[in-house]
Amino acid sequence: MSLINRIKPKFWDYRDMASVPYRATCQFRRLWYGVILLTSAVALFPLIFLAVIDYKATQHDIESEILLRTSRLVSNTRRTISYFLEERKSALDFVVHDNSFEKCANPDRLDGILSNLKNAFGGFKDIGLIGPLGLQRFYVGPYNLKGKDYSDQEWYQQVVERGEYISDVFLGFRHVPHLIIAIKYTSESGSYCVLRATLNTEQFNDILSHLEMAGQGDAFVINHQGILQTPSRFHGKVFQKISLPIPEYAHRTRVFEWETADGVPLIIGYRYISDTPFILMVTKQKTELMKPWYNTRKELIGFLIISVMFILLVIFGGTTYLVNRIYMADQRLIMTLHNVEYSNKMASIGRLAAGVAHEINNPLAVINEKAGLIKDLLTIKKEYEKNDALAGSIEVIISSVERCGRVTKRLLGFARHMDVSIQSIRLDEMVQEVLEFLHKEAEYRAIAISLHFSDEIPRIETDAGKLQQILLNIINNAFAAMEKGGRLDITAEMAGQEMVSITISDDGCGIAEANLKQVFEPFFSTKTVEGGTGLGLSITYGLVRELGGSIDVKSKVNKGTDFTIVLPLTIGEKEKMDT
Amino acid sequence: MRVLLVDDEKELVSTLAERLAIRSIDSDWVTDGEDALKLVETHCYDVAVLDIRLPGISGLDLQKKMKLKCPDLKFIFMTGHGSLGDFQAGATEAGTDYYLVKPVGIDELIEKMNNLMSA
C-alpha cells in the first residue's frame, strides 16, 4: 500500500474541484490513461501483428517442408524396394524363359541356377518347379519338398491367374521370415509351369534399416492387413499388427499427420507398392522434427516479450513524466493566478479601507472639535459647572470619537502597509497591529493572547505588508484551530546575528502527522467541505520565501501547533527586486 | 503665538480657532489655499496647520509657496488620509511627529505647536 503511494505520481488523485464543482474528474489520470493506451496500441499492434504473421508463416513453411521431405523419402524408398523385388522377379523370369521346363527338370541344372542366383543376388533359399497340376515336380533347397501339392493354395491359383506372385512375409515351417516369388511360364504349346523361389527377408530389411532418418524416424513395410513385414523400431515386431491405422489405398505417395494414443504427434508417409501385398510406411515424430524451430521460436518469443516490456516501460515512464510535468505546470499556473488574485484582493481591501477611513476621519474631526468646544464652554461658563450629566455626555462623545479615530487609524495603518515597499518596522508593533484586528474575536471566544518579545530585537527592515499578511494568516489559522478559552502565545527572539524568529503557538486541535508535510502545498486542505481553498498556508509560505525567510511547523493532534517563522533583519537585494 | 489654520472643512477650522482662542492662542482660519497665501502676505504667523488635501492645491505645494513668502513659518500637517505617499511626503517635510491623522485632540495639537516654537 505504502509502495503504491510512493510510486503513485502526484497527479493521480488530483481532482479539479474549482472548475466543475461536484463533478470533479481526475483529468490528468484520464489523460495519462489515454496517452498510455494510444501509444501502446500504436507501438505494440504492428509489432505483435507482424510477429504473429511471421510465426504462422514460418510454422507453415517448416511443416510443409517436413511433409515434403517425408514424402520424398517414402518415394525413394519405395523405388528401392520395388526395384529390389522387380530385380528378383526379373531374374526368375529370365531363368524360366532361358531354361525350358525340360532343362529345369534336371536337378543338377536347378541346383546350378539356385547357386547362381544366390551368388548374384543373395537371399535365395530354395527354388522349385511346379507342374500344371500344382504338384512340385522339382525342388532344390534345404528341405525335401519335392512332390508337395500346391494346387489348392491361394498363391498358386493367383500365380496361374496373374502370371506372377509375391507373397506376404511368413515364417512357414522354417521359422525364419521369408517370402515367396512365383512366376508362371507358359510354353508355346500352351502348357505351363510355375517357378517358385523363397527369399529370406534380411536384405529386404537391410534396405529399410539403413535409411537415414531424422526425428526418431521409422521405416517399415506392412501388408494390406496391417501386419508388420519388416521389423519396426517403434511400432512392433515382425508379424505383429501395427498400432497405426492402415492407410487408405492411393496410387501415389501420401503423407498425413496422426496422433498416437500417448498423444505423440506423428508424420506418416506411405506408399502402396504395386503388384505386391506391401505398403511402405515411414513415421517420424513431429516434435523431434520441429525441435530446431521450437528453439528458434522460443528465442523469438523471448525477444518479443522483452521488446514489449521495454516499449511499455518507456511508454509508462515517458507518459508519467510528461503528464506530471503538465500537472506541475498547471499547478504553478493556478498558484500564480491565485497569488495574483490574492494580492489584488488585499490591495483592493487596502484602498477601500483607506478611502473609508479618510471619509470618516473628516466628519469625525468635526465632531471632535465641536464636542471639544462644548466642553470648553462648559468649563468656562460657571452656570453649567454643576451639570454633571451634560459634562459626562460630552466626555463620552469625545472618548467615542477617540475610539473611532483609533479604528480608522488602524485601518489606515493596515492600508499603508499594503502598498508594496520595504519599511523599517518594530516587530512587536506589527504584531500588535495585526492583533488589533482580531482582538474582538479573541474577546468573544475568551482566547488568551500573550506576547513574549525579547528586548534585543532591533527594528527590522522588511516588506511590512507581506509580513502583516503572514502574521494575519497564521494567527487566523490558530484562531480557527482553537476552541473557546484557548491560549495563543507569540514569541519572538533572535535566531543568530542576522535572523529573528517568531513562534506562534496555539493549543488547538493540531495537525495529523500525515498531513504535516503537506500543509504548505497548494490546494491541500482538510476543510474543503467548509469552503477552504487550501491556499492560505501555501500563500503564506510563498510570502515568507519572498521575504527571504523560512517557515516551519510542529504539531501534535489535540495538543496544538507551533508555526515558526525565521526572517532576516534586513531584506536581501534579491528579495528587494522581487517585491 | 499666531496660528493659521487651513482646512476645507469650515466647521472644523472655525471651531478649532474658537477653542484655541479659549486657550489664549490667536488664530486665523481659511478654507482654501489662495486665501491662505493672501493672509500670509499681510500677516505674520508662527505656525501653520495644513490639511494635505485642499481644493485646488495640495497641502504640500501650499507649504512650499508659503515658505517662500514667510521663511520662518513652521508647519503641522493634519489629514484624514493615510496613504503611504502622503505620509512619506508629509513626514519628510514636517517630521514624523508633525504629521497628524484626524481626529486630533486639542491638547495634543497645542503640545506639538509648543514643541515647534521652542525647537
Side-chain angles (χ1 to χ4, degrees):
Chain A
M1 198 56 205
S2 65
L3 181 72
I4 291 174
N5 280 336
R6 207 170 300 162
I7 60 168
K8 194 157 69 176
K10 278 185 181 169
F11 61 80
W12 196 252
D13 290 324
Y14 173 73
R15 284 160 195 275
D16 191 358
M17 297 288 187
S19 64
V20 192
Y22 312 116
R23 279 198 297 127
T25 50
C26 297
Q27 49 167 343
F28 290 101
R29 203 197 292 189
R30 270 173 48 203
L31 177 68
W32 187 83
Y33 277 133
V35 175
I36 292 268
L37 283 178
L38 194 69
T39 39
S40 301
V42 168
L44 294 183
F45 178 75
L47 179 70
I48 292 171
F49 183 75
L50 283 179
V52 169
I53 294 283
D54 184 62
Y55 178 86
K56 293 266 178 209
T58 46
Q59 188 181 29
H60 184 256
D61 282 356
I62 298 272
E63 280 177 359
S64 352
E65 173 75 20
I66 288 170
L67 295 184
L68 194 70
R69 239 188 283 159
T70 309
S71 164
R72 210 180 300 142
L73 180 71
V74 171
S75 296
N76 290 342
T77 313
R78 194 273 308 175
R79 217 170 291 135
T80 314
I81 290 172
S82 290
Y83 180 70
F84 175 85
L85 294 170
E86 205 64 42
E87 204 177 36
R88 277 143 189 83
K89 215 163 70 185
S90 303
L92 290 178
D93 203 36
F94 174 76
V95 167
V96 85
H97 282 90
D98 189 48
N99 301 278
S100 63
F101 183 77
E102 288 72 29
K103 275 187 186 170
C104 290
N106 179 354
D108 292 339
R109 178 67 184 153
L110 206 56
D111 197 31
I113 289 170
L114 179 62
S115 100
N116 284 341
L117 284 173
K118 272 182 182 171
N119 289 337
F121 298 98
F124 280 96
K125 283 295 160 195
D126 59 7
I127 190 163
L129 193 65
I130 298 151
L133 297 175
L135 218 59
Q136 182 144 278
R137 301 275 300 274
F138 304 100
Y139 172 82
V140 188
Y143 306 99
N144 187 12
L145 295 174
K146 190 175 174 185
K148 190 170 166 59
D149 185 2
Y150 291 113
S151 60
D152 57 345
Q153 291 205 357
E154 199 200 337
W155 70 265
Y156 182 73
Q157 282 152 19
Q158 278 200 26
V159 79
V160 168
E161 196 177 306
R162 291 195 352 226
E164 58 178 55
Y165 173 77
I166 295 176
S167 78
D168 287 354
V169 176
F170 63 99
L171 277 178
F173 45 86
R174 291 164 230 237
H175 295 290
V176 173
H178 61 279
L179 58 87
I180 294 167
I181 300 177
I183 299 288
K184 178 183 170 191
Y185 169 70
T186 309
S187 68
E188 284 163 7
S189 59
S191 65
Y192 68 85
C193 64
V194 171
L195 188 67
R196 174 188 184 273
T198 308
L199 270 168
N200 78 10
T201 52
E202 269 170 26
Q203 277 179 312
F204 193 50
N205 293 352
D206 281 352
I207 296 173
L208 296 170
S209 63
H210 285 112
L211 283 176
E212 278 186 17
M213 281 179 295
Q216 307 272 15
D218 191 3
F220 49 89
V221 171
I222 57 172
N223 66 10
H224 291 188
Q225 286 72 46
I227 307 297
L228 275 163
Q229 304 292 294
T230 64
S232 153
R233 286 170 71 189
F234 302 108
H235 302 287
K237 292 179 178 165
V238 183
F239 305 125
Q240 278 182 342
K241 194 164 165 62
I242 51 159
S243 48
L244 304 170
I246 301 161
E248 61 174 6
Y249 178 77
H251 290 298
R252 305 173 55 81
T253 305
R254 280 215 185 151
V255 180
F256 66 98
E257 288 184 35
W258 174 259
E259 203 166 280
T260 64
D262 305 336
V264 180
L266 293 178
I267 304 276
I268 301 174
Y270 70 94
R271 175 77 187 244
Y272 276 75
I273 300 170
S274 47
D275 299 329
T276 71
F278 300 137
I279 307 169
L280 169 68
M281 278 182 97
V282 170
T283 69
K284 290 177 178 180
Q285 288 192 11
K286 191 179 174 188
T287 331
E288 286 294 320
L289 293 172
M290 299 288 275
K291 217 171 222 168
W293 185 72
Y294 287 144
N295 288 339
T296 317
R297 184 184 67 173
K298 215 185 286 172
E299 279 168 21
L300 275 175
I301 290 178
F303 181 74
L304 182 71
I305 289 173
I306 289 171
S307 311
V308 166
M309 275 173 21
F310 182 73
I311 289 171
L312 285 180
L313 194 74
V314 169
I315 289 174
F316 267 73
T319 310
T320 308
Y321 175 76
L322 287 179
V323 173
N324 220 9
R325 288 295 292 263
I326 295 174
Y327 166 76
M328 267 150 43
D330 201 62
Q331 290 290 289
R332 267 202 300 278
L333 177 71
I334 295 173
M335 185 67 201
T336 313
L337 287 177
H338 275 283
N339 256 337
V340 168
E341 200 181 324
Y342 183 78
S343 28
N344 279 345
K345 198 163 79 184
M346 292 307 277
S348 308
I349 290 174
R351 272 195 297 277
L352 185 70
V356 169
H358 184 219
E359 288 309 316
I360 288 174
N361 272 350
N362 277 329
L364 214 51
V366 175
I367 295 169
N368 191 37
E369 294 314 320
K370 290 293 181 193
L373 180 63
I374 295 170
K375 193 184 162 191
D376 290 349
L377 292 174
L378 285 182
T379 321
I380 296 160
K381 300 268 171 77
K382 297 278 184 247
E383 62 223 72
Y384 296 114
E385 216 170 36
K386 297 275 188 271
N387 199 334
D388 290 340
L390 201 56
S393 299
I394 296 299
E395 278 304 329
V396 172
I397 292 174
I398 291 173
S399 66
S400 297
V401 168
E402 269 172 25
R403 253 174 71 190
C404 288
R406 274 204 300 278
V407 172
T408 53
K409 276 175 195 163
R410 201 191 302 150
L411 274 177
L412 283 173
F414 184 77
R416 194 183 295 152
H417 291 315
M418 287 326 304
D419 295 333
V420 177
S421 95
I422 311 296
Q423 274 173 277
S424 164
I425 52 140
R426 283 183 60 90
L427 203 55
D428 50 348
E429 280 176 6
M430 171 66 77
V431 172
Q432 286 286 7
E433 221 172 81
V434 171
L435 285 174
E436 290 268 0
F437 282 95
L438 298 162
H439 85 268
K440 272 289 164 200
E441 195 189 341
E443 260 172 42
Y444 290 141
R445 294 176 51 189
I447 290 170
I449 302 173
S450 50
L451 307 178
H452 317 275
F453 280 86
S454 161
D455 290 334
E456 57 189 10
I457 299 174
R459 292 181 78 90
I460 65 170
E461 196 182 275
T462 190
D463 187 319
K466 284 177 180 166
L467 183 56
Q468 196 164 255
Q469 286 179 43
I470 293 165
L471 292 169
L472 198 59
N473 278 343
I474 294 179
I475 296 173
N476 250 332
N477 278 351
F479 270 43
M482 282 190 286
E483 297 289 323
K484 208 166 180 179
R487 190 182 154 76
L488 183 76
D489 285 290
I490 303 177
T491 313
E493 57 200 8
M494 292 301 290
Q497 292 285 310
E498 303 290 321
M499 305 293 252
V500 58
S501 89
I502 309 148
T503 306
I504 295 159
S505 319
D506 65 60
D507 61 352
C509 58
I511 304 164
E513 194 159 339
N515 297 337
L516 213 51
K517 277 184 186 164
Q518 289 171 281
V519 289
F520 295 118
E521 278 178 22
F523 312 107
F524 177 79
S525 177
T526 54
K527 291 190 278 189
T528 39
V529 184
E530 293 105 277
T533 58
L535 278 174
L537 277 177
S538 121
I539 286 172
T540 304
Y541 182 82
L543 291 172
V544 173
R545 301 292 300 204
E546 281 175 36
L547 297 184
S550 61
I551 183 165
D552 194 27
V553 59
K554 286 194 188 99
S555 185
K556 277 209 173 111
V557 174
N558 294 329
K559 285 269 170 21
T561 308
D562 293 358
F563 277 98
T564 304
I565 306 161
V566 178
L567 290 176
L569 291 182
T570 44
I571 195 160
E573 286 301 318
K574 185 180 161 291
E575 283 81 16
K576 258 184 206 171
M577 296 289 282
D578 291 343
T579 55
Chain B
M1 179 161 62
R2 284 187 62 83
V3 178
L4 177 63
L5 304 169
V6 189
D7 196 305
D8 55 340
E9 287 277 351
K10 186 189 158 199
E11 287 298 333
L12 178 67
V13 274
S14 62
T15 316
L16 199 55
E18 208 172 325
R19 293 189 74 193
L20 288 173
I22 291 170
R23 285 162 178 78
S24 318
I25 297 172
D26 281 343
S27 61
D28 291 325
W29 56 269
V30 289
T31 54
D32 61 52
E34 280 177 40
D35 292 346
L37 286 173
K38 277 181 207 158
L39 269 180
V40 172
E41 277 172 26
T42 51
H43 296 72
C44 192
Y45 294 102
D46 298 312
V47 178
V49 179
L50 304 181
D51 192 357
I52 293 280
R53 303 207 170 174
L54 287 166
I57 187 165
S58 94
L60 295 168
D61 292 340
L62 183 62
Q63 181 219 23
K64 277 172 200 143
K65 286 187 180 169
M66 285 165 86
K67 212 164 191 172
L68 287 176
K69 296 187 177 178
C70 197
D72 292 337
L73 195 58
K74 306 246 181 345
F75 295 93
I76 291 176
F77 287 107
M78 197 167 69
T79 182
H81 204 273
S83 86
L84 188 71
D86 287 356
F87 174 80
Q88 279 174 342
T92 332
E93 285 303 322
T96 322
D97 286 349
Y98 303 103
Y99 182 90
L100 306 176
V101 178
K102 293 175 190 174
V104 184
I106 187 96
D107 297 328
E108 191 189 351
L109 184 63
I110 293 171
E111 193 194 325
K112 300 273 180 195
M113 287 176 183
N114 286 333
N115 287 349
L116 269 182
M117 291 306 292
S118 57

